[in-house]
Amino acid sequence: MAVLQREYGRRALLQQIRLSGRIPRIELADKTGISRATVTTITAELLQSGLIEEVPRADGGDARRGRPRVDLKIRGAARLVAGVKISQHRLSLVLLDFEGSQLATLETDLPAPVLSPQQMAEAIRTAVARLAETAGRSVEEVSGVGVGIAGLVEAGDGFVHWSPSLTDRNVQFGAVLAAELGRPAFVDNDANLVAEAERLFGLGQSQSDFIVITIESGVGMGLVLGGELYRGSRGCGAEFGHTKVHLDGALCRCGQRGCLEAYVADYALLREAAIVPGADPTAEPAKRLEALLKAARSGEPAAKSIVDRAGRMFAMGLANLVNIFDPALIILAGEQMQFDHLYADTVLGAIRTSIVQVDKPPPEVVIHKWGDLMWARGAAAYALDQVSDLALAEMGDHAA
Ligand SMILES: [Zn+2]
């Protein structure tokens, strides 16, 4: 078997086993189109490497016809991975085994919302060590750490062009992290990881073209086209939050003007909240935001106009996305109730009236409230994928 063919075969079979949960060899051949003989050879190698294991078939198989009574599954104990979600004030982490079962979770506060790359890496190392400890394991046993961070990220080599969580621009953050952790680290844009998790485990499983919009302190987007995450040529694609919605408009924290985020994000709302009667400029940001949204709901005109404009800008941006990509599904993923005004019926209605009208229903818009731990799960799923590739590479070119 040629080397490339073998590599392809191993990867395809491992992926199919992961996707299926438990699967007999014969079905693996049917599902992947790989010949039964090759399936037998490769699964023997995967078994010997300890990445998969045989388990008795649930229904016992058909012994009378001499069929094997075993299924193949991923061997949970083969590897350990951690997923980390960096949000504004804290880190959320999960520890998964190689099968994807959750072994431990952890949430911990960050010393400050913006840190130097080295400080952030140290905070992550401390948190991963505590996470592993919770499960009675050590950092050294973790085969890889996936990290989701907001901003412009080139996932392949963990290069962060810009992130609201880091003091520096243009950082080889993956390398900084790997050096600090002493383990392989995989960094991606956090919204991309949510889209990946939706594609693998969530609402995107049955869709080949869908868009995930994440709303937190910023606005993120993950774009899945033809069943694959689209990253753009520099890893900076699908930056919905920084699409321009206003000529010479409000200043965005990315440094440019007129970005959608500069109208929709919490910091944008807070910038204007001071003009609302009764606003307390000395209160905590979260309290000021809460007061603004409450005033808007009670019909206070200044507050209402700020919040309504955010909703209209958001609807316009989404309608533009629909007009460009014609997705089957848009998933609005955000946890915090504070963004409920963006999910209002008036906003969803405004999207519908602004998209190109054809004789078919508009794409479905669903709201999927993700906790930070689910984002961390997305990061861990990315790590699982990368760690699987490393494990396959370790197997080398030769048959076991
Ligand atoms: Zn911007």
Side-chain angles (χ1 to χ4, degrees):
M1 213 183 323
V3 171
L4 272 180
Q5 231 179 332
R6 184 183 291 278
E7 278 179 8
Y8 167 79
R10 284 172 177 168
R11 194 162 198 275
L13 292 182
L14 194 65
Q15 271 178 354
Q16 187 58 54
I17 294 169
R18 189 176 286 291
L19 205 65
S20 304
R22 291 164 169 240
I23 186 169
R25 284 181 178 78
I26 190 159
E27 217 177 292
L28 260 181
D30 292 346
K31 289 213 161 149
T32 57
I34 294 172
S35 76
R36 288 180 193 185
T38 305
V39 166
T40 304
T41 310
I42 292 182
T43 53
E45 293 168 9
L46 292 172
L47 278 167
Q48 202 183 10
S49 70
L51 296 179
I52 63 171
E53 63 188 351
E54 286 182 330
V55 284
R57 189 167 313 163
D59 65 5
D62 189 346
R64 195 164 37 94
R65 297 190 183 177
R67 282 184 191 166
R69 289 158 171 265
V70 293
D71 285 342
L72 296 171
K73 71 184 259 298
I74 300 284
R75 190 171 147 263
R79 296 287 187 281
L80 214 54
V81 302
V84 184
K85 147 83 172 154
I86 301 173
S87 41
Q88 222 182 354
H89 300 287
R90 63 182 172 185
L91 298 174
S92 306
L93 297 92
V94 296
L95 188 69
L96 302 185
D97 71 9
F98 199 50
E99 239 189 313
S101 301
Q102 187 170 299
L103 304 181
T105 66
L106 180 82
E107 299 210 69
T108 181
D109 286 341
L110 283 170
V114 189
L115 295 175
S116 76
Q118 184 57 36
Q119 285 170 327
M120 186 62 84
E122 284 166 18
I124 290 173
R125 192 203 136 79
T126 308
V128 171
R130 274 180 54 205
L131 174 78
E133 225 170 82
T134 316
R137 313 293 286 266
S138 72
V139 172
E140 288 69 33
E141 292 176 82
V142 178
S143 295
V145 179
V147 176
I149 187 167
L152 306 175
V153 183
E154 258 181 88
D157 51 3
F159 188 80
V160 178
H161 293 275
W162 170 79
S163 167
S165 298
L166 297 179
T167 49
D168 303 7
R169 282 178 177 253
N170 302 316
V171 188
Q172 206 75 51
F173 188 52
V176 175
L177 257 177
E180 180 62 31
L181 287 162
R183 341 278 333 134
F186 317 102
V187 183
D188 199 354
N189 169 277
D190 54 357
N192 279 350
L193 293 176
V194 173
E196 271 296 84
E198 290 285 9
R199 184 176 73 82
L200 292 169
F201 325 113
L203 302 172
Q205 271 174 309
S206 54
Q207 304 289 351
S208 63
D209 303 294
F210 68 93
I211 291 174
V212 175
I213 303 293
T214 61
I215 308 156
E216 281 198 306
S217 55
V219 181
M221 169 174 164
L223 176 63
V224 174
L225 296 175
E228 299 249 346
L229 188 68
Y230 179 81
R231 295 180 189 278
S233 63
R234 297 169 301 157
C236 307
E239 277 302 328
F240 180 51
H242 304 284
T243 52
K244 305 301 178 275
V245 292
H246 204 303
L247 195 63
D248 301 325
L251 186 64
C252 177
R253 59 182 176 169
C254 76
Q256 297 195 318
R257 285 192 175 276
C259 296
L260 177 68
E261 229 184 73
Y263 294 92
V264 169
D266 54 0
Y267 71 87
L269 297 180
L270 283 175
R271 226 166 18 194
E272 296 179 74
I275 63 163
V276 175
D280 173 8
T282 61
E284 291 263 298
K287 289 267 183 297
R288 280 188 285 146
L289 188 64
E290 208 180 283
L292 171 73
L293 296 173
K294 198 171 160 215
R297 278 195 300 275
S298 70
E300 198 290 314
K304 197 168 177 314
S305 98
I306 295 169
V307 173
D308 283 354
R309 185 173 67 169
R312 285 203 310 276
M313 289 291 196
F314 188 62
M316 177 166 76
L318 280 183
N320 286 339
L321 286 183
V322 174
N323 289 340
I324 296 170
F325 295 109
D326 187 25
L329 173 69
I330 295 176
I331 302 168
L332 302 181
E335 180 200 14
Q336 293 140 337
M337 293 299 284
Q338 70 195 54
F339 298 110
D340 275 3
H341 59 279
L342 297 179
Y343 306 146
D345 286 342
T346 48
V347 173
L348 303 183
I351 299 169
R352 260 173 245 127
T353 54
S354 308
I355 62 177
V356 172
Q357 302 294 317
V358 292
D359 215 9
K360 277 201 163 182
E364 197 187 347
V365 179
V366 296
I367 295 156
H368 192 192
K369 291 196 172 170
W370 281 62
D372 281 348
L373 283 174
M374 285 299 286
W375 291 63
R377 234 187 120 76
Y382 179 49
L384 263 187
D385 203 38
Q386 300 294 311
V387 163
S388 296
D389 282 356
L390 290 178
L392 291 176
E394 278 166 21
M395 285 171 63
D397 299 337
H398 304 289

